[in-house]
Amino acid sequence: MQKITLLINCPDRKGIVTTITQFILEKQGNIVYLDQHVDRQESTFFMRIETEFDQPEFSISSFEKIFAARFETDYQLTYQLFDALHKPRLALFVSKYDHCLYDLLGRNASGELQVEIPLIISNHPDLEIVAKRFDIPFKYIPVTKATKAEAEAEQIKTIKEHSIDLIVLARYMQIISDDFVSKFKYQIINIHHSFLPAFIGAKPYHAAFERGVKIIGATSHYVTADLDEGPIIEQEIVRVSHVHSVQDFILKGRDLEKVVLARAIKAHIAHKVLVFGNKTVIFS
């Protein structure tokens, strides 16, 4: 049994669903999931399809070649085709905060994430002990203003050597260069608090506490050249009040960051995220 997932977007027109599903049927595929959306404002059609093929001779590359020839030009169609049985390989980038790292490693160890994590990269040595507990290779690559380009070159080399599919910034406290980002388009996911741009700086929770905010949030998004402005994948909030301390704010924020980052990763590895412009369509 082979299984593929298709993400599709094209100008909206009548008969797209029927034509594509009929094509899959002709290729002896069995559609097990289909979700679609039409953006009326942009007049754009979006669809996600999961299809199974049980023919021994089925070839994903051959299917893709025929599919592209049939639809790309006639329908002005943009698509992404994934082998749904492929187990993604993640590289976790961390600094000194450990809450997201522990959460992701724990979820994966319990079978919740269904990914391989062959590599943890850090600009500090502090979290190597965590990597050892989960028996995952840890690579310490210090980053300074003077050595940033050299450090990123080593990071990129390491990522390619390990055939990484997705880079997760699990509270990695370094700004990634445009050159680095351009090599991994929509393959880098970040997590941060949702106080930006109101409360910037080293102690946003303290600033939010002093301002008396009533909502704490977290946002996970793809990393682009525009700092913290990439397409959003997942967000969540929790209410706070005058009875909560600064430490309460911080703890609640960390809990949100863990949950939101995990949700974003799950959506990405399940191929449920379609980027369009600087927005995302998140299929159910």
Side-chain angles (χ1 to χ4, degrees):
M1 178 72 70
Q2 296 195 63
K3 188 173 181 178
I4 65 171
T5 300
L6 271 167
L7 294 180
I8 296 165
N9 68 277
C10 62
D12 189 34
R13 61 189 280 187
K14 293 181 180 178
I16 300 175
V17 176
T18 300
T19 304
I20 292 178
T21 54
Q22 182 62 35
F23 171 83
I24 292 172
L25 177 62
E26 291 170 359
K27 303 304 175 187
Q28 302 181 59
N30 179 39
I31 296 174
V32 295
Y33 175 92
L34 188 152
D35 191 9
Q36 66 184 76
H37 169 67
V38 175
D39 185 326
R40 298 292 184 185
Q41 184 172 343
E42 299 290 340
S43 190
T44 302
F45 174 82
F46 303 92
M47 184 162 66
R48 178 180 182 274
I49 303 175
E50 294 180 7
T51 304
E52 294 177 345
F53 297 86
D54 58 8
Q55 306 91 337
E57 69 277 9
F58 176 78
S59 164
I60 292 178
S61 59
S62 296
F63 176 90
E64 181 173 6
K65 184 176 180 180
I66 298 170
F67 179 87
R70 173 69 177 84
F71 294 105
E72 269 192 311
T73 301
D74 289 350
Y75 282 77
Q76 302 175 54
L77 183 143
T78 300
Y79 76 92
Q80 299 172 67
L81 189 151
F82 303 96
D83 178 352
L85 299 180
H86 170 68
K87 201 169 186 178
R89 293 170 62 83
L90 274 60
L92 303 183
F93 277 48
V94 297
S95 290
K96 293 185 177 182
Y97 293 113
D98 62 6
H99 55 289
C100 287
L101 178 61
Y102 267 117
D103 184 70
L104 294 176
L105 295 179
R107 289 175 189 268
N108 195 50
S110 68
E112 181 181 338
L113 284 184
Q114 290 296 309
V115 299
E116 293 181 14
I117 304 177
L119 179 65
I120 297 172
I121 292 178
S122 181
N123 59 323
H124 294 282
D126 303 54
L127 298 183
E128 184 173 7
I129 187 172
V130 181
K132 288 181 177 179
R133 288 174 183 171
F134 287 86
D135 196 26
I136 296 176
F138 182 92
K139 192 170 183 68
Y140 167 47
I141 304 177
V143 181
T144 66
K145 190 173 182 179
T147 65
K148 188 176 183 67
E150 181 182 340
E152 286 196 344
E154 186 175 355
Q155 291 170 345
I156 291 168
K157 178 185 176 185
T158 304
I159 288 166
K160 291 183 177 180
E161 287 175 348
H162 287 77
S163 302
I164 296 300
D165 298 302
L166 179 66
I167 300 166
V168 178
L169 308 184
R171 293 308 309 271
Y172 180 65
M173 310 305 288
Q174 284 284 324
I175 296 175
I176 296 177
S177 72
D178 295 355
D179 180 63
F180 187 109
V181 172
S182 68
K183 289 178 170 58
F184 305 100
K185 187 175 183 180
Y186 305 137
Q187 292 177 277
I188 310 173
I189 291 179
N190 191 23
I191 183 69
H192 60 73
H193 60 78
S194 290
F195 292 139
L196 298 173
F199 304 111
I200 60 175
K203 293 186 175 181
Y205 288 101
H206 292 73
F209 175 81
E210 293 298 329
R211 182 64 177 83
V213 301
K214 299 298 183 279
I215 294 175
I216 286 177
T219 295
S220 188
H221 62 89
Y222 289 116
V223 177
T224 64
D226 297 317
L227 182 63
D228 292 330
E229 294 185 13
I232 294 170
I233 308 170
E234 181 62 61
Q235 292 180 300
E236 186 60 272
I237 61 169
V238 63
R239 298 195 67 84
V240 292
S241 74
H242 59 277
V243 304
H244 295 109
S245 66
V246 171
Q247 188 62 24
D248 291 331
F249 276 39
I250 293 172
L251 292 176
K252 288 177 180 292
R254 288 179 180 176
D255 281 343
L256 284 177
E257 289 171 2
K258 292 186 292 187
V259 171
V260 170
L261 182 57
R263 287 179 187 169
I265 292 170
K266 287 179 182 179
H268 176 91
I269 64 177
H271 313 302
K272 293 186 176 183
V273 186
L274 197 159
V275 178
F276 184 73
N278 199 44
K279 296 168 61 177
T280 56
V281 175
I282 310 294
F283 294 100
S284 60

